[in-house]
Amino acid sequence: MKTLLAGLGLNVLETLRYLHHERPSYAQFEAWIGERHGGELDEASISRLRRALAGESVGAEVGHLDGVEGLSADDLAHWHEHGYVILRNAISQQAAQIGEMAIYEFLGMDRDDPDSWYRTSLGHSIWVPLLRHPALAANRRAPRIHKAHAQLWGRDDLWVTVDQVGFNPPERKDWQFPGPHLHWDATLAEPHCFGLQGILYLADVDEDQGAFSCVPGFHRTLKPWLESVPAGVNAQDHARRTLTMKPIAAKRGDMIIWHHLLPHGSSPNRARRPRLVQYMSLHPTRFAYTAEWKS
């Protein structure tokens, strides 16, 4: 299902909400998908999706990756030890800035007017449901991002998710950080399968600026840690009480990729500028997963 939705350029939550509330016919669902793409689907993308789902080899969405610079040997060593890596210059400075300004425009905010950063139209949240702006779509096709994920997955038949963006303004008396705090987005049930998640910084982010945070290396000790959780205690609640996350600073255009078994979250922004990001995950056509959900 994840490959099908990614191949159709659909966000998981928007699709589930539409199906639940509208209960459409096949024709209505097909028309709704077309509307998400301005009325017309890209035939080359649909052909690639059909071939992949039929079991054919499809290669990278963005073309050959052989000449694309990805993660270095040092980057890969850091990944294996810590379970996360910073892909420097994943996109250009210009592409990141265009994405940054797209978020301000969508929210009706002025980049240089702090009083405009606290609009309540989206509720008390750092999530922004901006999905298909051309700048965000272009970032999802960045060759360096696809190359790095291909290195980590060991294959290049990857599908990029259509995820939302984030806007985390500095805390003030009437706006305190709402989370997400430390958590997992993956099931904690065994077997523990491989998976990746990513966050693209659209502007510089310092450690105290609401930076993405995680517990480095925890993917290697998850199983024994789970065995140590007291009986009857929720593992995520126990993690929030006992584990300490590390904030990861990075520059505009950098992408943090992490193993999905790392406990992670955002953090309070105690700096002077907002944190603006684009969430993104890539996965192959078929991959191992654990169906049982356990938190």
Short mmCIF file of all heavy atoms in Angstrom, two decimals, residues 3-10 29 33 36-37 41 46 49 132 159 162:
data_model
loop_
_atom_site.label_atom_id
_atom_site.label_comp_id
_atom_site.label_asym_id
_atom_site.label_seq_id
_atom_site.Cartn_x
_atom_site.Cartn_y
_atom_site.Cartn_z
N THR A 3 3.81 1.71 -1.27
CA THR A 3 4.37 1.92 -2.60
C THR A 3 3.30 2.45 -3.55
O THR A 3 3.55 3.36 -4.35
CB THR A 3 4.97 0.62 -3.14
OG1 THR A 3 6.05 0.23 -2.28
CG2 THR A 3 5.47 0.79 -4.56
N LEU A 4 2.11 1.90 -3.47
CA LEU A 4 1.02 2.36 -4.33
C LEU A 4 0.72 3.83 -4.10
O LEU A 4 0.61 4.62 -5.05
CB LEU A 4 -0.24 1.52 -4.07
CG LEU A 4 -1.50 1.94 -4.84
CD1 LEU A 4 -1.28 1.79 -6.34
CD2 LEU A 4 -2.69 1.12 -4.38
N LEU A 5 0.60 4.23 -2.83
CA LEU A 5 0.28 5.63 -2.53
C LEU A 5 1.42 6.56 -2.96
O LEU A 5 1.19 7.63 -3.53
CB LEU A 5 -0.01 5.79 -1.05
CG LEU A 5 -1.28 5.11 -0.53
CD1 LEU A 5 -1.45 5.34 0.96
CD2 LEU A 5 -2.51 5.60 -1.28
N ALA A 6 2.66 6.15 -2.68
CA ALA A 6 3.80 6.98 -3.09
C ALA A 6 3.86 7.09 -4.61
O ALA A 6 4.10 8.17 -5.15
CB ALA A 6 5.10 6.39 -2.54
N GLY A 7 3.60 5.98 -5.30
CA GLY A 7 3.63 6.00 -6.75
C GLY A 7 2.54 6.87 -7.36
O GLY A 7 2.72 7.44 -8.44
N LEU A 8 1.42 6.99 -6.65
CA LEU A 8 0.33 7.83 -7.11
C LEU A 8 0.46 9.27 -6.60
O LEU A 8 -0.40 10.11 -6.89
CB LEU A 8 -1.01 7.25 -6.65
CG LEU A 8 -1.43 5.93 -7.31
CD1 LEU A 8 -2.69 5.39 -6.65
CD2 LEU A 8 -1.63 6.10 -8.81
N GLY A 9 1.52 9.55 -5.84
CA GLY A 9 1.73 10.89 -5.32
C GLY A 9 0.72 11.30 -4.28
O GLY A 9 0.32 12.47 -4.20
N LEU A 10 0.30 10.34 -3.45
CA LEU A 10 -0.72 10.61 -2.44
C LEU A 10 -0.13 10.57 -1.04
O LEU A 10 0.74 9.76 -0.74
CB LEU A 10 -1.85 9.57 -2.53
CG LEU A 10 -2.61 9.49 -3.86
CD1 LEU A 10 -3.65 8.38 -3.79
CD2 LEU A 10 -3.28 10.82 -4.18
N PHE A 29 -12.90 7.91 -6.83
CA PHE A 29 -11.56 7.86 -6.26
C PHE A 29 -10.52 8.19 -7.33
O PHE A 29 -9.58 8.95 -7.10
CB PHE A 29 -11.30 6.48 -5.66
CG PHE A 29 -9.99 6.35 -4.93
CD1 PHE A 29 -9.51 7.38 -4.13
CD2 PHE A 29 -9.25 5.19 -5.03
CE1 PHE A 29 -8.31 7.26 -3.44
CE2 PHE A 29 -8.04 5.06 -4.35
CZ PHE A 29 -7.57 6.09 -3.56
N ILE A 33 -7.90 11.37 -7.31
CA ILE A 33 -6.45 11.25 -7.49
C ILE A 33 -5.99 12.23 -8.58
O ILE A 33 -4.98 12.94 -8.41
CB ILE A 33 -6.05 9.81 -7.87
CG1 ILE A 33 -6.35 8.86 -6.70
CG2 ILE A 33 -4.57 9.74 -8.25
CD1 ILE A 33 -6.18 7.39 -7.06
N ARG A 36 -5.64 15.77 -7.41
CA ARG A 36 -4.45 16.04 -6.62
C ARG A 36 -3.26 16.43 -7.51
O ARG A 36 -2.28 16.99 -7.05
CB ARG A 36 -4.05 14.81 -5.77
CG ARG A 36 -5.15 14.20 -4.93
CD ARG A 36 -5.34 14.91 -3.59
NE ARG A 36 -6.10 16.13 -3.66
CZ ARG A 36 -7.41 16.22 -3.89
NH1 ARG A 36 -8.14 15.15 -4.11
NH2 ARG A 36 -8.02 17.37 -3.90
N HIS A 37 -3.37 16.08 -8.79
CA HIS A 37 -2.27 16.33 -9.73
C HIS A 37 -2.66 17.33 -10.81
O HIS A 37 -2.13 17.31 -11.91
CB HIS A 37 -1.82 15.01 -10.37
CG HIS A 37 -1.25 14.03 -9.39
ND1 HIS A 37 0.06 14.03 -9.00
CD2 HIS A 37 -1.85 13.03 -8.69
CE1 HIS A 37 0.26 13.08 -8.12
NE2 HIS A 37 -0.87 12.45 -7.92
N LEU A 41 -2.42 12.72 -14.47
CA LEU A 41 -1.31 11.96 -13.91
C LEU A 41 -0.20 11.83 -14.94
O LEU A 41 -0.46 11.75 -16.15
CB LEU A 41 -1.78 10.57 -13.47
CG LEU A 41 -2.72 10.53 -12.27
CD1 LEU A 41 -3.28 9.12 -12.10
CD2 LEU A 41 -2.01 10.96 -11.01
N ILE A 46 3.17 6.52 -13.87
CA ILE A 46 2.19 5.45 -13.73
C ILE A 46 2.73 4.16 -14.34
O ILE A 46 2.55 3.06 -13.78
CB ILE A 46 0.86 5.85 -14.40
CG1 ILE A 46 0.22 7.01 -13.64
CG2 ILE A 46 -0.11 4.67 -14.43
CD1 ILE A 46 -0.07 6.73 -12.20
N LEU A 49 5.16 2.64 -11.92
CA LEU A 49 4.44 2.03 -10.81
C LEU A 49 3.84 0.68 -11.22
O LEU A 49 3.96 -0.30 -10.48
CB LEU A 49 3.35 2.98 -10.32
CG LEU A 49 2.44 2.46 -9.20
CD1 LEU A 49 3.25 2.15 -7.95
CD2 LEU A 49 1.35 3.48 -8.88
N ARG A 132 1.96 19.71 -2.00
CA ARG A 132 2.29 19.59 -3.42
C ARG A 132 2.78 20.89 -4.06
O ARG A 132 2.67 21.06 -5.27
CB ARG A 132 1.07 19.06 -4.19
CG ARG A 132 0.74 17.64 -3.80
CD ARG A 132 -0.37 17.04 -4.63
NE ARG A 132 -0.61 15.70 -4.17
CZ ARG A 132 -1.39 15.39 -3.13
NH1 ARG A 132 -2.03 16.36 -2.47
NH2 ARG A 132 -1.54 14.16 -2.74
N TRP A 159 10.78 4.78 -3.69
CA TRP A 159 9.56 5.58 -3.84
C TRP A 159 9.54 6.60 -2.71
O TRP A 159 9.70 6.26 -1.54
CB TRP A 159 8.33 4.67 -3.76
CG TRP A 159 8.39 3.59 -4.81
CD1 TRP A 159 9.03 2.39 -4.71
CD2 TRP A 159 7.86 3.67 -6.13
NE1 TRP A 159 8.92 1.70 -5.88
CE2 TRP A 159 8.20 2.45 -6.78
CE3 TRP A 159 7.12 4.62 -6.82
CZ2 TRP A 159 7.83 2.18 -8.09
CZ3 TRP A 159 6.75 4.35 -8.13
CH2 TRP A 159 7.10 3.13 -8.75
N VAL A 162 4.90 11.47 -0.03
CA VAL A 162 4.40 12.84 -0.10
C VAL A 162 4.00 13.23 1.32
O VAL A 162 2.89 12.93 1.78
CB VAL A 162 3.22 12.96 -1.08
CG1 VAL A 162 2.65 14.38 -1.06
CG2 VAL A 162 3.66 12.57 -2.49
#
